[in-house]
Each structure stands twice: as structure tokens, then as C-alpha cells.
Amino acid sequence: MNAGKRRVALVGAVLTAATVVAACGSGQVGQVGGSSTDNKKLVLIPGVQAEPFYISMQCGAQEEAKKLGYDLNTQAPQKFDPSLQTPIVTGVLASKPAAVLIAPTDDKAMASPMQQLKDAGIKVVEVDTSLQDKSIGLASISSDNEQGGRKAADTLAQLVGNKQGSVLVLNTIAGTSTTDARAKGFEDEIKKYPNLKYVGAQYTNNEPAQAAAKVSATLSSTPDLIGVFATNLNTGEGAATGLRNAGKVGQVNLVGFDASPNEVEDLKSGSFQALIAQDPASIGRKGVDAAVAAVQGKPVGPREVQTDLIAITQQNLQQNQKYLYRTSC
Ligand code: T6T
């Protein structure tokens, strides 16, 4: 055992002893770590702060926590980056909540800090993104992202009709479980349409400006570009800017993921032809349900829970208002 692990083990042992003593003192049967049944603290750690997808998730989680008599505190990194999310996890560990709901920003790099939560007796639930290691999170709540990618491919093919041309995927950061799955679903499904030539995926680092630049560069190198699939909100917003700058709105069909207020405005004005919207508030609510069940020692339910996805176009926007993301609760 190295020095770091020994320190974590020691802290874990002290926390366990302290919790048992406290619980015995109040006449209750104690559980280990942060998860005694009278601990009502939950923490949500989204992928990035001030972003409508995660704000909507937070709203759903907060509502559900309140209903169940728990306090939910949210702490998010400034960027979608495991080196910024890790210190948040470490700080949360010290505050000993009963459970943590987390959207890991990398499917491998976040395993070690999340394991520390688990080792301290804190219940861990994944919301939205997930780790490759399935042994840390008790439950994982997300959209069926691969199916979302397939839906994007079918929607794009329908929009293009019989025309021929090239299609591009703009992805975010490799190692993000959700967007990797969306790109894979799209890539598999687009093969069904021989009139569409898939020219591969490019990464935007989750930066709208990089997405806009990649669209401009691809328009120069691939003059028959007929479609773009942007795998998330920032990438989609940037791709729409790129098409506007190049005067290609409507000529190149843009299918985005998510439904931020900017994306919805861009759908109305025709920069996007379709958006694959998720249901982040449900992800938050179901995440809290799983976390509270675990804290109370009840069955958590299935480990993988999938929430709705819907393809929104100008035609069906009106009846799908409940899927549009929020910027405050
Ligand atoms: O698309 C969502 C989320 O599902 C993904 O994991 C990361 O990007 C978003 O937060 C949108 O920016």
C-alpha cells in the first residue's frame, strides 16, 4: 500500500469509528462511513458549472431531495475536466455526505477519486456520464446515448432525402462516456444510408469556438458537406455559429444534441434542423431516488436506468416544451 492509499485507509477507519460512536450515542444502529440513516446530506457534482443541461438536472434533483427530506448541495467544476473535478470530489469526501451523485468527466480518470468516496462509506450514484469500472457507482442514470446517436443519423438521413453528400461528426472530448456512445451510435447507423459518406469525427474539446472553426475548415476541405451531427450542447452551438459565418445555414443540415435556450433559438431560426433532447431533470430525480434508497438500506433498483430522448424539429417543438432545458430552477 502506498502512502496516499494508507492515508485514505486511515481516514476511512477514523470516519467509520466516529460514525459508529455517534450513532450508538443517539441510540441508533450505526452504518459505516457517511451513510448513517440520519445523515441527510446529498451532494451533486455535475460535469461543468452554469450549463443548462446540468442546471436542469440540478433542478430535478433538488426537487426530489426536498420531497424526500434530504438536503442537496451542488458543486461543479469550472470546466468539463477531470483535473478540476477531482479536487471537488476530495473536498466533498471531507464533508461526509450520505451520498454523492456525480457525472464523471472522464470514464477512467475519475475512478480513483470516486473509489475514495466509496471507501469512506459514501454511496455513489452516476448521473449522465459513467465510468468504465462498474463496481463504484451503485446505479447509473442516463439517456440511452448510443440510441441517441442512431436517432441523430436517422433524422439527418430523413432531412437529406435522396441527395448525396458527406457528413461529419463533431465530438467533444475522448473519454466522455455519453458523447463517445452518441458518436458510435451515429457511425453505426449512418452506414444504412449509401447516399451519405461519413467523413469521420473531429474533437472540439467541448469549446464552441473550436466547433465553429472545425465546421469552417471542413467546409473548405469537403465542398459536398451536406450534414453535421454535433454530439452535445457546446459543440452544437459552435457548429451553428460556424455555418452562419460561412453562409451555409440550411444548405448543410445540422443535427445537434441537447436543447439549451440558444440551441432552441437556433432551431427556430433554421440554423439547426433537429435537436436530440434529453430529460436531465428526470436523470436528477432518479439519481436522488437511487441515492436515498441506498442510504436507507433499501433496494436501489436496476443498476442502469435510462431516461427519455426525443428528436425535436420546428414541426414538433410546440408539443415538446417539457424537454427544453432551463438556466435556473
Ligand atoms: O450533453 C450533455 C451531457 O449529456 C454530456 O455528458 C456532456 O455534455 C452535456 O452536458 C451538454 O453540454
Side-chain angles (χ1 to χ4, degrees), residues 147-232:
Q147 194 223 333
R150 287 195 294 271
K151 216 185 250 286
D154 292 333
T155 306
L156 185 59
Q158 235 174 37
L159 289 161
V160 168
N162 293 328
K163 284 185 238 145
Q164 297 217 335
S166 294
V167 298
L168 167 74
V169 168
L170 281 180
N171 205 348
T172 59
I173 306 172
T176 308
S177 63
T178 48
T179 47
D180 282 350
R182 291 168 201 166
K184 179 183 183 301
F186 183 92
E187 205 173 310
D188 290 348
E189 190 74 2
I190 206 73
K191 291 185 185 135
K192 286 191 184 161
Y193 304 100
N195 57 323
L196 299 178
K197 182 172 168 231
Y198 176 53
V199 295
Q202 295 188 28
Y203 289 96
T204 65
N205 208 23
N206 204 27
E207 298 285 353
Q210 287 194 29
K214 301 256 151 129
V215 166
S216 315
T218 309
L219 283 166
S220 307
S221 64
T222 315
D224 73 338
L225 189 70
I226 201 172
V228 175
F229 169 44
T231 64
N232 85 339

Side-chain angles (χ1 to χ4, degrees), residues 20-267:
V20 171
V21 168
C24 292
S26 62
Q28 292 190 8
V29 179
Q31 293 181 6
V32 290
S35 295
S36 81
T37 46
D38 53 359
N39 182 346
K40 303 287 185 200
K41 282 200 292 185
L42 307 179
V43 175
L44 170 65
I45 307 179
V48 65
Q49 61 180 226
E51 197 250 55
F53 172 82
Y54 290 116
I55 294 171
S56 307
M57 179 193 286
Q58 180 186 343
C59 300
Q62 259 167 217
E63 247 174 53
E64 190 71 359
K66 193 168 171 206
K67 202 171 93 188
L68 300 177
Y70 282 73
D71 273 344
L72 182 113
N73 173 262
T74 300
Q75 294 185 45
Q78 264 179 354
K79 283 181 74 175
F80 196 94
D81 181 338
S83 72
L84 299 179
Q85 197 178 37
T86 297
I88 293 180
V89 173
T90 315
V92 164
L93 178 68
S95 73
K96 291 183 265 169
V100 168
L101 290 80
I102 179 166
T105 44
D106 186 281
D107 61 7
K108 290 203 275 291
M110 290 309 297
S112 157
M114 286 168 63
Q115 180 71 45
Q116 291 183 19
L117 295 172
K118 184 183 173 194
D119 291 346
I122 297 168
K123 308 296 183 197
V124 179
V125 171
E126 293 167 333
V127 280
D128 180 45
T129 41
S130 55
L131 295 175
Q132 286 184 14
D133 182 344
K134 305 288 171 218
S135 71
I136 300 171
L138 293 164
S140 195
I141 326 288
S142 74
S143 307
D144 182 341
N145 287 291
E146 210 173 304
Q147 194 223 333
R150 287 195 294 271
K151 216 185 250 286
D154 292 333
T155 306
L156 185 59
Q158 235 174 37
L159 289 161
V160 168
N162 293 328
K163 284 185 238 145
Q164 297 217 335
S166 294
V167 298
L168 167 74
V169 168
L170 281 180
N171 205 348
T172 59
I173 306 172
T176 308
S177 63
T178 48
T179 47
D180 282 350
R182 291 168 201 166
K184 179 183 183 301
F186 183 92
E187 205 173 310
D188 290 348
E189 190 74 2
I190 206 73
K191 291 185 185 135
K192 286 191 184 161
Y193 304 100
N195 57 323
L196 299 178
K197 182 172 168 231
Y198 176 53
V199 295
Q202 295 188 28
Y203 289 96
T204 65
N205 208 23
N206 204 27
E207 298 285 353
Q210 287 194 29
K214 301 256 151 129
V215 166
S216 315
T218 309
L219 283 166
S220 307
S221 64
T222 315
D224 73 338
L225 189 70
I226 201 172
V228 175
F229 169 44
T231 64
N232 85 339
L233 187 157
N234 277 349
T235 300
E237 290 184 6
T241 307
L243 290 178
R244 275 195 299 271
N245 291 346
K248 292 285 183 185
V249 164
Q251 286 174 51
V252 176
N253 292 278
L254 176 58
V255 176
F257 221 91
D258 298 302
S260 69
N262 285 342
E263 285 179 295
V264 172
E265 279 315 303
D266 288 349
L267 176 72

